[in-house]
Amino acid sequence: MTGKPVLVAHGDRPREGGPDRKEVEVAVGVLIRADGAFLLTSRPAGKVYEGYWEYPGGKVEAGETVEQALRRELIEEIGVTIGAVHPWKVERVDYPHALVRLNFCKVYEWTGELHMHEGQQYAWQQLPVTVQPVLPGTVPVLQWFAEERGFEGPTHS
């Protein structure tokens, strides 16, 4: 795939699967409260990048649209049913374990109480975020928020 360059995370580490790795499609939910705070969740124990903070979401399964995958993943992962999905931006990230295409979608409405089904933590954040470490694929989103909101200074610690 050509076009926008790929964000390379931890380029000093070897890549699994070699140069012909298949790109993994991922649906990512950027839940935003009325006060502008956004939801970050920690990666669960036992997963790659355990303890890193990210936006919730997951892989798009065969036959699913990004929106369908996001709805399914957010029920499974954090226990909420989302309203309208607003596709926002796409970022390709080359992690040592996978090449991913992150489809970021803004979500302003949801029902249900947050329940972390995978034992992860969650935090409502404003810029600059106070949780760390932040997953490399999350960093561009913080920069996009900074641009949208006219925020000057570092977006994370």
Side-chain angles (χ1 to χ4, degrees), residues 52 55 57 118:
Y52 277 71
Y55 293 94
E118 298 177 343

Side-chain angles (χ1 to χ4, degrees), residues 11-125:
D12 57 332
R13 298 184 191 167
R15 308 286 110 166
E16 293 177 18
D20 297 325
R21 301 189 290 168
K22 185 176 182 219
E23 192 170 72
V24 177
E25 200 79 22
V26 178
V28 184
V30 182
L31 277 65
I32 304 169
R33 291 192 315 206
D35 66 357
F38 46 87
L39 181 71
L40 289 176
T41 59
S42 63
R43 302 260 317 150
K47 289 207 175 179
V48 177
Y49 286 97
E50 175 182 328
Y52 277 71
W53 290 84
E54 65 178 350
Y55 293 94
K59 291 180 190 170
V60 177
E61 301 294 343
E64 279 184 322
T65 64
V66 168
E67 181 175 335
Q68 289 168 334
L70 186 60
R71 291 183 183 285
R72 176 185 51 75
E73 285 285 347
L74 294 185
I75 290 169
E76 291 173 4
E77 198 175 308
I78 64 171
V80 297
T81 300
I82 59 175
V85 172
H86 304 274
W88 187 23
K89 295 183 185 258
V90 175
E91 184 76 23
R92 296 174 67 224
V93 183
D94 181 357
Y95 286 107
H97 70 285
L99 177 62
V100 296
R101 179 181 166 89
L102 302 171
N103 297 274
F104 292 99
C105 301
K106 288 183 177 178
V107 177
Y108 299 96
E109 300 168 348
W110 57 90
T111 57
E113 293 295 317
L114 289 174
H115 181 84
M116 303 294 114
H117 292 289
E118 298 177 343
Q120 70 275 46
Q121 296 178 299
Y122 74 92
W124 289 101
Q125 296 284 289

